[in-house]
Amino acid sequence: MPQVVRPRFAVLHGTHPAAPLPQRFRSLADRAAVEVLHRAARVLVASLPVLTDRLVEALYEQEPGYRAAIDSDRAEVWQEVHHSLRHNVGSLIQPREFRDAAHRTSRWIGEIRAEQGVPLDAVLHAFRMGGAMVWQDLVDETARRDPDDVRLLVHVAADVWNFVDEHCGIVADAYRQAERRLSWRRENQQRLMVAALLDGTARIADVGEAAAMLGLPEQGRYAVLAVASVRSGGPQQPAPARPRVTLPTALSPDPAPTAGPDGPSYAAPATTLWHTGPDAAFAILRLTGGPGDPGDPGELHAIADALDAPAGTRAGIGSAVDGLAALGDARRLAETALRACPAAGGTVVLDEHLPDALVVSSPALGSALADRVLGPLDRLDPSDRDVILETLTAWLDADGSAQRAGARLYCHRNTVLNRLRRFEQLTGRCLTRPRDAVEVSLALAARRLLGA
């Protein structure tokens, strides 16, 4: 074999994608060289089944990316290779007649292999292997018929290899376009599935498929985080798209807290599943433990502490639920926690604010309670009323200690007690009576959260 042919064969085993070469280049082919090429190519066309067998076997042995496809359906791969060789070798003989069909075949192969998940490098390597095998057979057939004609093939070598590179570019472009379509389709399916789970509209029969699609255990423990912007006297503003959040276990396949001087610390997950609704954004939180396992009671609080969101953001974390099928309930619990957030912003863990959650869960009843318990104060001057309410709130926050409430309000404990007695006189409530104390506490929560 003339040495001028051999270096071309070594080039075929590179793995970098080849960009299509410019369409215009100076061909060295003359009439004699073209005739030699056509004569050898016609022999290849007549023996395409044998050539196809050899190429499929070479792909199996030399390209790992194709082995799974060949093992799965060797006949399908054989037909694909044969189809490609028939159009490509035909293009060497009749370029005008076969060019468009050869391009369509290469685009089709790029799309099919992208859908099957065969790496692009493997597909390009397969095309180069095919080009190398065709070129070698052209040279061998020419040498068999007339060794002196091999030198003429050198003049068409650039044409042949530019043809191979052109089709590598076509394959790569089709592959990448198919990848983008597949990626968009997967992302869209994932968004729809997450939305259905959080809305509680996913069918039980689809939960297993959702678990596989999202990479989550079907029977794991979950909670939902709801995030929205600060309320400004009207409807909630649109939720922040994706606040910066450091979550201990959201979508972490093996949540493993590490002990530190300040307690457990958690690594941020690689991804978090979000769904943006009209009034809030929701994130699925994967928790430690399994169904029925209470898990770490401080885990939700740890998530709240780790939350990193813009100033003025309101965030609510609902109670834990068992299984993906219960994510609709988890979302509703998170929305309840979100409604219990202070108007100025902050984070509320539902399990730690259940009385507030009761109030916001039934706004009409909460407003009625606030009006019944605190209504008599509205007859006072607003500044006088606000002082009594502030004192009452501070006393309840201090667990009924007038001393600590006075320290918070920068006044004497007797001043606190005098204001509390005045409240009792105006409302007819007795703060030492447990039932009255509960009603007063809930009424204050309703006024704070509902503006009642």
Side-chain angles (χ1 to χ4, degrees):
M1 179 66 59
Q3 290 301 312
V4 71
V5 176
R6 294 299 185 184
R8 278 291 187 177
F9 189 83
V11 174
L12 304 179
H13 297 280
T15 57
H16 62 284
L21 294 179
Q23 292 297 316
R24 296 179 180 273
F25 58 88
R26 183 172 179 270
S27 174
L28 299 178
D30 55 21
R31 182 181 298 275
V34 171
E35 288 178 355
V36 170
L37 173 65
H38 286 181
R39 187 165 54 246
R42 290 189 187 97
V43 175
L44 263 62
V45 170
S47 59
L48 271 183
V50 175
L51 178 58
T52 303
D53 288 339
R54 289 167 48 212
L55 182 52
V56 171
E57 192 60 36
L59 286 174
Y60 190 83
E61 293 176 356
Q62 300 178 34
E63 180 45 68
Y66 263 74
R67 286 176 190 160
I70 295 174
D71 283 334
S72 174
D73 193 342
R74 178 178 286 263
E76 187 271 337
V77 176
W78 193 96
Q79 288 293 339
E80 172 194 304
V81 172
H82 185 268
H83 199 62
S84 179
L85 287 174
R86 181 163 60 86
H87 286 97
N88 291 340
V89 175
S91 294
L92 299 178
I93 305 171
Q94 296 175 297
R96 291 184 179 179
E97 289 78 358
F98 282 90
R99 183 178 184 275
D100 289 344
H103 284 190
R104 286 195 299 271
T105 299
S106 295
R107 283 193 292 269
W108 175 76
I109 291 174
E111 293 173 356
I112 290 296
R113 292 301 171 224
E115 292 174 0
Q116 294 174 341
V118 177
L120 176 57
D121 282 353
V123 182
L124 295 177
H125 186 205
F127 262 75
R128 294 192 181 99
M129 287 177 64
M133 192 170 288
V134 168
W135 175 252
Q136 194 66 52
D137 282 7
L138 290 172
V139 173
D140 290 345
E141 173 59 24
T142 302
R144 186 186 65 80
R145 293 175 61 92
D146 188 347
D148 290 339
D149 285 346
V150 171
R151 61 183 177 78
L152 295 175
L153 285 181
V154 174
H155 297 292
V156 297
D159 301 48
V160 172
W161 288 102
N162 275 290
F163 177 87
V164 173
D165 288 344
E166 176 188 358
H167 279 262
C168 283
I170 293 171
V171 167
D173 182 62
Y175 186 102
R176 294 187 182 103
Q177 289 184 20
E179 258 192 336
R180 286 192 289 270
R181 289 195 301 270
L182 291 169
S183 177
W184 178 87
R185 191 182 306 161
R186 284 192 297 267
E187 291 174 359
N188 192 50
Q189 289 175 340
Q190 186 183 78
R191 283 194 295 269
L192 292 175
M193 187 61 74
V194 170
L197 288 171
L198 290 172
D199 289 343
T201 57
R203 298 182 304 175
I204 296 298
D206 294 335
V207 174
E209 178 185 351
M213 179 188 300
L214 304 177
L216 295 172
E218 183 177 350
Q219 299 302 327
R221 291 181 70 251
Y222 298 97
V224 170
L225 164 70
V227 182
S229 58
V230 173
R231 290 175 295 194
S232 56
Q236 291 182 166
Q237 300 299 315
R242 288 193 181 181
R244 300 184 308 275
V245 177
T246 303
L247 301 173
T249 53
L251 288 192
S252 176
D254 184 18
T258 57
D262 300 323
S265 62
Y266 300 87
T271 57
T272 301
L273 291 179
W274 285 90
H275 171 68
T276 302
D279 298 322
F282 302 94
I284 298 175
L285 311 178
R286 179 180 167 187
L287 307 177
T288 56
D293 182 350
D296 179 2
E299 188 172 11
L300 295 176
H301 186 73
I303 293 174
D305 288 343
L307 192 65
D308 178 17
T313 298
R314 301 167 56 241
I317 300 176
S319 303
V321 298
D322 289 336
L324 286 177
L327 281 180
D329 295 332
R331 178 191 62 83
R332 286 185 284 274
L333 293 171
E335 287 178 323
T336 299
L338 185 63
R339 290 195 296 270
C341 284
T347 302
V348 165
V349 177
L350 184 64
D351 289 351
E352 299 175 359
H353 294 80
L354 292 177
D356 290 352
L358 287 174
V359 169
V360 297
S361 294
S362 182
L365 291 178
S367 298
L369 178 64
D371 185 62
R372 178 176 179 180
V373 174
L374 304 177
L377 299 182
D378 292 334
R379 293 191 289 269
L380 299 176
D381 182 84
S383 60
D384 193 14
R385 177 199 61 203
D386 292 344
V387 167
I388 293 178
L389 291 176
E390 181 183 24
T391 302
L392 186 59
T393 301
W395 179 75
L396 289 171
D397 290 342
D399 297 326
S401 169
Q403 186 73 34
R404 292 200 300 273
R408 292 185 182 186
L409 298 172
Y410 302 101
C411 64
H412 195 273
R413 66 181 296 275
N414 289 339
T415 302
V416 172
L417 293 173
N418 288 336
R419 293 172 181 172
L420 295 179
R421 279 194 291 270
R422 189 178 178 204
F423 168 81
E424 291 178 326
Q425 293 168 356
L426 290 170
T427 62
R429 305 284 168 170
C430 177
L431 295 175
T432 59
R433 187 182 302 133
R435 179 169 180 169
D436 285 359
V438 169
E439 289 185 350
V440 169
S441 178
L442 291 175
L444 287 172
R447 177 155 291 194
R448 183 181 78 252
L449 296 171
L450 305 175

